[in-house]
Amino acid sequence: MIVVAHLARSLPRKVLLEMMMTGQPLSVDDAYRLGFVARVCTDTKALYAEADRYASWFTDAAPDAIRLGRKAFGVLADMPAPQALDAAQLFNLAFFLGEELPEGAGAFLDKRRPAWVDDDG
């Protein structure tokens, strides 16, 4: 039943209940329509191409910003909006005081690629 705790945050309640009671899985089309999956690939070649495209977004992004975003999502996603907005200010503070903001802004202004430093990777 542990999986229900995760699925309840990703699927509409009635859809999850129906799956639990009937044992029927979601179709690919329904999973996409409900937002349970973000992308659908029709074959292995398309899957690898999409994975490469997706991975390239992360190689271009600031490593600390990615880590901070993951942490923020985990903490804020299920909070009521007013509390999430208050808590998000703490995440913003970490970003604004970090080294990536000046590097990213400088790279943008200098029209160059940012030189990210990944101390944790």
Side-chain angles (χ1 to χ4, degrees), residues 2-104:
I2 292 173
V3 71
V4 174
H6 295 290
L7 291 175
R9 290 167 169 74
S10 302
L11 289 170
R13 294 172 63 96
K14 290 180 182 180
V15 171
L16 178 57
L17 181 61
E18 182 178 282
M19 288 174 60
M20 292 172 61
M21 296 298 114
T22 66
Q24 295 300 306
L26 282 178
S27 70
V28 170
D29 292 336
D30 284 343
Y32 182 76
R33 181 180 53 79
L34 293 169
F36 187 63
V37 297
R39 291 168 187 75
V40 175
C41 298
T42 57
D43 58 41
T44 304
K45 184 177 179 180
L47 174 63
Y48 283 118
E50 183 65 12
D52 287 343
R53 186 175 75 89
Y54 194 77
S56 73
W57 296 340
F58 294 99
T59 60
D60 293 339
D64 287 340
I66 295 293
R67 278 189 282 280
L68 187 60
R70 286 180 53 214
K71 287 178 186 173
F73 180 81
V75 170
L76 305 176
D78 294 321
M79 280 186 181
Q83 291 169 332
L85 289 171
D86 288 342
Q89 292 179 33
L90 296 175
F91 287 101
N92 280 344
L93 184 61
F95 178 71
F96 289 130
L97 295 177
E99 297 175 10
E100 291 178 346
L101 179 61
E103 172 57 23

